[in-house]
Amino acid sequence: MTMSRRTFLATSGLAVVSVSQLSGRAALASIPEAPVQSSALMQPPLFPTSGPEYRPVVTLNGWTLPWRMNGDWKEFHLVAEPVVREMAPGMRAHLWGYNGQSPGPTIECVEGDKVRIFVTNRLPEHTTIHWHGMLLPCGMDGVGGLTQPHIGPGKTFVYEWQVKKSGTFMYHPHADEMVQMAMGMMGLFVVHPRDPTLHRVDRDFVFLLATYEITPGSYVPRIMQMTDFTHWTFNSRVFPGIDHLAVRKGDRVRVRVGNLTMTNHPIHMHGYDFKVTCTDGGWVPESARWPETTIDVPVGAMRAYEFDALYEGDWALHCHKSHHTMNAMGHDLRTYIGVDQREIARRISRLIGGGYMAMGSAGMAEMGEMEMAAPDNTLPMMTGFGQFGAMEMGGMFTVVKVREGLAANDYGDPGWYRHPEGTVAFEYTGPGRASGPPPPAPAPHGTAVPKSGNATGLRAVRPKGGHRGH
Ligand SMILES: [Cu+2]
């Protein structure tokens, strides 16, 4: 390690310094560029240009950090900084992240690689990065005060180690952790096997679970919140802003999910059973892989599952805690199911001069279509439209779209599934009806909306953005 650093500094001392505020030994060296991502949409996978071949991952609503080779070192540059993250069309959060986004870019490398990661701090307070699950020298573990001095504002630190094993890992600060993780500082770190035939899949999706309390009309998370969050996110995005997972029928598919929230999330996928193949501790041996349709992802852990995409359709993929598939939610409302509120509504309308509407007597599904009036920068609690109507979802919800004949590496949204005739649940209209109605004419993706606007002047959030190819 010492030798390599000396060599590194000696060979690159004359190169241009691309970051103005540097400290310590790194100031003598050229620092790799720190690419910045302005889009919150899924970026194409980053195929390796040198070294062993591998199937790169795609990060839902995210991207992979480009690197450069310096001798036999793979060099990356992360910049910790305030960012604005669009959580779904119509709502932006003021977070802290890396290189323009929260979560930060996914880092990818290969088992055995020597990685050198420059971390520049553009936050108003100190930080560090801990490489969760990684086997490395203790002094590279990133625990402020314990294994290294903190990275002060304006400073750049260097982490370097040889990556021992493949798998899925995460990165996040280990400095003022409660604040910095509540503000969105986290990212994924995927290490591919050196032998590309091991654990081979055709599509490999990754995302992190993160939670925020951003009260209606505000932009900055309330960092003291511990349990009662308003935004339950995949990669700091909520439904209907979360990318769909486009999958070609017949592909072998892996989904890797990391949890950096403060509660567990049972991630459920419809239409399939799957095998759990990897945790942040490593690959599960073939004989020990267990079947599931829901995989609970514990706090501070990662789970990957795999399946063969045999069944075409639009299959929901979501957290099974029903409050986690809602947006901007207050949890202190009373239950009015079975309560006749008509007289109350009349009286309140008289008091406030009209316009009061009581809700909840028959459940809350009506909210899915109406989308309640809300302050600026606030998403409806229940929202999104599919080809058959309102989906009444939010938060940790997306769709796996399995289709025949997609091109390899095409992750663009294929639109809604065209159900074969007679395979959609239908209304019973009396005896003698042998099969269901013909499917509705498939609407182009993003336009299947019942009607625009309504009496309360609401902003409807439609399932349009968030998918590559649109
Ligand atoms: Cu959940």
Side-chain angles (χ1 to χ4, degrees):
M1 200 66 74
T2 313
M3 276 305 292
S4 63
R5 178 181 282 115
R6 204 176 297 137
T7 314
F8 166 58
L9 296 178
T11 54
S12 50
L14 294 175
V16 177
V17 177
S18 62
V19 168
S20 55
Q21 297 164 306
L22 305 173
S23 75
R25 289 168 292 196
L28 301 171
S30 94
I31 288 194
E33 244 183 276
V36 173
Q37 183 56 251
S38 57
S39 170
L41 303 185
M42 180 195 291
Q43 299 302 309
L46 205 58
F47 284 87
T49 50
S50 61
E53 184 233 352
Y54 59 81
R55 157 80 49 203
V57 297
V58 286
T59 307
L60 293 192
N61 298 103
W63 60 302
T64 294
L65 187 61
W67 65 88
R68 75 171 184 198
M69 293 306 298
N70 185 351
D72 54 353
W73 289 86
K74 207 169 252 186
E75 295 186 331
F76 300 86
H77 189 180
L78 286 172
V79 177
E81 60 186 357
V83 302
V84 176
R85 175 71 169 177
E86 185 193 66
M87 288 203 160
M91 196 265 172
R92 282 157 185 271
H94 292 189
L95 304 178
W96 290 356
Y98 300 94
N99 301 52
Q101 292 292 324
S102 163
T106 299
I107 295 174
E108 285 184 87
C109 68
V110 178
E111 180 187 9
D113 275 354
K114 292 174 174 175
V115 297
R116 178 179 290 128
I117 305 176
F118 294 79
V119 178
T120 297
N121 181 7
R122 290 193 187 134
L123 297 172
E125 67 168 359
H126 68 213
T127 189
T128 65
I129 299 187
H130 164 60
W131 315 96
H132 176 114
M134 197 66 79
L135 305 180
L136 36 57
C138 185
M140 295 293 159
D141 196 42
V143 181
L146 178 66
T147 67
Q148 67 165 90
H150 290 96
I151 310 172
K155 306 290 188 191
T156 296
F157 269 52
V158 180
Y159 294 88
E160 54 184 26
W161 72 94
Q162 185 163 15
V163 176
K164 282 196 177 144
K165 66 173 195 179
S166 63
T168 316
F169 310 99
M170 303 182 275
Y171 64 88
H172 63 79
H174 229 295
D176 196 11
E177 208 175 327
M178 183 195 76
V179 168
Q180 296 191 9
M181 289 179 66
M183 288 295 285
M185 300 193 71
M186 56 189 73
L188 283 153
F189 199 136
V190 173
V191 182
H192 297 279
R194 188 145 282 268
D195 175 355
T197 63
L198 285 179
H199 312 296
R200 183 89 195 178
V201 293
D202 302 301
R203 291 181 191 236
D204 200 339
F205 297 95
V206 291
F207 60 92
L208 279 173
L209 306 168
T211 54
Y212 302 93
E213 188 198 9
I214 302 175
T215 49
S218 67
Y219 291 80
V220 179
R222 284 193 64 229
I223 53 172
M224 301 312 288
Q225 183 55 257
M226 203 164 73
T227 53
D228 198 11
F229 296 97
T230 54
H231 292 76
W232 308 87
T233 76
F234 290 175
N235 276 349
S236 303
R237 292 278 283 190
V238 294
F239 177 80
I242 299 176
D243 284 323
H244 294 171
L245 287 72
V247 168
R248 175 172 58 179
K249 186 178 178 184
D251 275 353
R252 178 77 175 175
V253 181
R254 180 184 299 124
V255 179
R256 315 184 193 223
V257 189
N259 181 1
L260 291 175
T261 76
M262 283 184 284
T263 188
N264 61 314
H265 299 280
I267 299 297
H268 178 52
M269 191 175 82
H270 295 205
Y272 285 84
D273 47 32
F274 52 73
K275 291 264 175 67
V276 179
T277 58
C278 194
T279 77
D280 31 350
W283 298 100
V284 180
E286 190 82 41
S287 59
R289 295 179 177 182
W290 69 99
E292 293 281 8
T293 66
T294 302
I295 175 63
D296 193 35
V297 187
V299 178
M302 172 271 149
R303 295 286 180 268
Y305 66 83
E306 290 176 31
F307 62 98
D308 293 312
L310 300 176
Y311 316 117
E312 279 189 278
D314 289 341
W315 303 107
L317 167 61
H318 62 93
C319 177
H320 217 293
K321 289 184 175 175
S322 52
H323 286 220
H324 296 184
T325 53
M326 297 280 108
N327 289 331
M329 183 175 186
H331 299 107
D332 50 359
L333 300 174
R334 289 171 194 278
T335 297
Y336 290 109
I337 289 176
V339 177
D340 184 348
Q341 299 183 86
R342 281 173 297 187
E343 181 53 28
I344 302 167
R346 257 196 305 275
R347 288 188 194 188
I348 294 176
S349 289
R350 219 177 300 138
L351 273 173
I352 64 173
Y356 180 82
M357 185 175 57
M359 294 187 72
S361 293
M364 297 178 90
E366 55 194 340
M367 292 183 70
E369 285 187 358
M370 301 211 31
E371 300 188 329
M372 301 284 288
D376 279 352
N377 202 47
T378 304
L379 295 169
M381 180 175 124
M382 297 156 74
T383 186
F385 295 93
Q387 61 177 316
F388 298 101
M391 286 163 73
E392 300 154 3
M393 284 282 133
M396 295 172 161
F397 182 97
T398 187
V399 181
V400 179
K401 293 179 162 177
V402 181
R403 299 288 188 277
E404 194 103 51
L406 295 186
N409 303 315
D410 179 5
Y411 296 91
D413 193 321
W416 300 121
Y417 181 53
R418 292 163 186 265
H419 298 267
E421 201 173 331
T423 65
V424 175
F426 59 97
E427 182 184 357
Y428 176 75
T429 53
R433 185 75 181 273
S435 69
H445 182 63
T447 59
V449 181
K451 56 180 183 279
S452 68
N454 58 41
T456 48
L458 306 178
R459 289 168 300 106
V461 177
R462 309 220 160 93
K464 63 167 195 310
H467 313 304
R468 226 159 58 77
H470 288 258

